[in-house]
Amino acid sequence: MTAWGEHVADYLRLRRQLGFTLSWDEHLLGQFTAHLDTIGTRQLTTVVMIEWASLPRPDGGARVSRAAVRMTAVRSFAAYLHALDPAHEVPPRGVFSHQARRSTPYIYTPAEVTALLHAARELRRFERSRIYPIVFGLLAATGMRVGEFLALDTDEVDLDAGVITVSRGKSRDPRLVPIHATVTESLSCYASWRDRRDVMVVDGRMPFFTDHLGRRLTRFTTEYAFQRVRQTAGLTADGIRPRMHDLRHTFAVTTLLGWYRAGADVAGLLPRLSTYLGHTNPANTYWYLTAIPELLAHAARMLQAAPQNVKEARS
């Protein structure tokens, strides 16, 4: 490990002790420090960070947003180093500022989810066919965030009670995620396979999801596996590339649609969905009503029926 690599390891260890996951930051900082080693610099400068962050993607797309994400990761790392040695510079905020917007999610059909899981079972090498059907199935069945399942430890998955404890979620507030009996059964089979290997324990934590060598799954390898699975399943149409995170959106939308179709009190049930998904702001859950046309149509019909229901009740 180079000196830059040691600095990154210390930085990540410190921030993870504070509850941050930083899986993607670790990937980006690995690329950044490799660049620093290549150019042979021993000091972080704003110019070097801007030059690296603005390097174009191989396909030439999403340059501004990509640069902003890269700069966010290296700026935080630079602030850490600056506290140790003021010679390291910290770039000003907003160098690659761009207007944040929420992309309309891709909502998988049940057939498409089935196709994804089938393609995951066809993965070859490194026993990925035993790992990723369970991973992608869990995401589809619970709507968990990618970072949340990657951070799960074995003691946070209670297979007897059928409950997962998410203690390192985006909101940092622990929450309980009940799981269906079929999900529990699949996780139990996976756990039996995993336990036949030497699981790598780091800082006293034993990961629930590991690769074939017993190491905690990383976001990079999981994203790579998903892209392979997505391509095999044929889920690329009209330039749309469904994301792994869209399985979370699909779970939320499917739940809401089920409530509307059943005539349930969606407004009363929404806080439950917000809690289950780990949304600290209910607006993040309400956003699905306007993001998906069918949901908005159901909401509109209920609003139109409301005055008539009130009138009938009064009479």
Side-chain angles (χ1 to χ4, degrees):
M1 182 182 293
T2 66
W4 286 118
E6 292 175 355
H7 284 313
V8 168
D10 291 340
Y11 163 74
L12 292 174
R13 187 181 303 110
L14 174 63
R15 295 204 65 195
R16 282 168 176 163
Q17 289 174 347
L18 298 175
F20 295 92
T21 304
L22 303 177
S23 298
W24 190 244
D25 285 50
E26 181 176 9
H27 171 64
L28 291 176
L29 290 174
Q31 293 182 337
F32 178 54
T33 52
H35 174 74
L36 295 177
D37 289 331
T38 299
I39 64 176
T41 184
R42 296 184 178 181
Q43 179 181 337
L44 286 188
T45 65
T46 298
V47 171
V48 168
M49 286 179 270
I50 291 177
E51 288 178 347
W52 176 80
S54 58
L55 289 174
R57 284 176 49 170
D59 59 9
R63 294 184 180 180
V64 176
S65 60
R66 179 174 186 258
V69 171
R70 283 181 150 202
M71 181 55 76
T72 298
V74 298
R75 187 183 186 281
S76 181
F77 175 59
Y80 162 77
L81 288 181
H82 180 77
L84 301 177
D85 182 355
H88 296 293
E89 298 178 3
V90 180
R93 295 183 183 276
V95 174
F96 294 104
S97 61
H98 66 286
Q99 184 176 4
R101 66 182 184 87
R102 300 184 72 168
S103 301
T104 300
Y106 183 92
I107 304 303
Y108 296 92
T109 65
E112 289 174 334
V113 173
T114 299
L116 279 175
L117 300 184
H118 177 74
R121 288 192 289 269
E122 299 300 318
L123 287 170
R124 298 183 179 182
R125 300 183 65 190
F126 310 128
E127 301 190 78
R128 290 181 295 178
S129 62
R130 290 182 175 272
I131 301 169
Y132 289 106
I134 307 301
V135 166
F136 301 145
L138 179 67
L139 293 179
T142 65
M144 291 176 63
R145 299 181 179 93
V146 176
E148 291 174 343
F149 92 79
L150 289 174
L152 283 177
D153 294 334
T154 54
D155 60 356
E156 294 175 320
V157 182
D158 188 338
L159 297 175
D160 293 327
V163 176
I164 293 174
T165 301
V166 177
S167 61
R168 281 169 286 275
K170 187 176 180 180
S171 67
R172 304 185 196 174
D173 292 327
R175 74 180 191 278
L176 300 180
V177 178
I179 52 178
H180 192 270
T182 56
V183 178
T184 302
E185 182 180 358
S186 296
L187 291 178
S188 297
C189 292
Y190 167 79
S192 298
W193 169 83
R194 181 207 60 213
D195 290 342
R196 293 195 292 270
R197 282 147 183 78
D198 293 327
V199 178
M200 187 177 297
V201 178
V202 179
D203 295 331
R205 295 176 53 192
M206 179 179 292
F208 185 84
F209 286 108
T210 69
D211 61 14
H212 65 295
L213 296 177
R215 302 170 302 191
R216 186 184 297 274
L217 287 183
T218 67
R219 191 182 189 101
F220 179 77
T221 56
T222 304
E223 287 280 5
Y224 175 78
F226 179 79
Q227 294 307 324
R228 293 289 299 273
V229 166
R230 179 187 57 77
Q231 293 170 3
T232 301
L235 296 181
T236 303
D238 299 326
I240 299 175
R241 300 179 63 180
R243 305 167 302 166
M244 183 163 43
H245 188 68
D246 288 327
L247 289 170
R248 174 175 169 84
H249 294 311
T250 299
F251 173 85
V253 168
T254 301
T255 301
L256 289 171
L257 284 175
W259 287 342
Y260 274 118
R261 291 166 180 166
D265 179 11
V266 177
L269 292 172
L270 265 175
R272 298 186 184 181
L273 181 59
S274 294
T275 301
Y276 188 88
L277 291 173
H279 286 160
T280 55
N281 186 351
N284 292 326
T285 310
Y286 277 94
W287 172 76
Y288 290 110
L289 296 176
T290 57
I292 308 302
E294 184 178 355
L295 282 175
L296 189 60
H298 277 292
R301 282 194 291 271
M302 292 189 72
L303 286 174
Q304 292 172 356
Q308 181 64 27
N309 293 338
V310 172
K311 183 177 180 180
E312 292 176 353
R314 290 177 177 176
S315 62

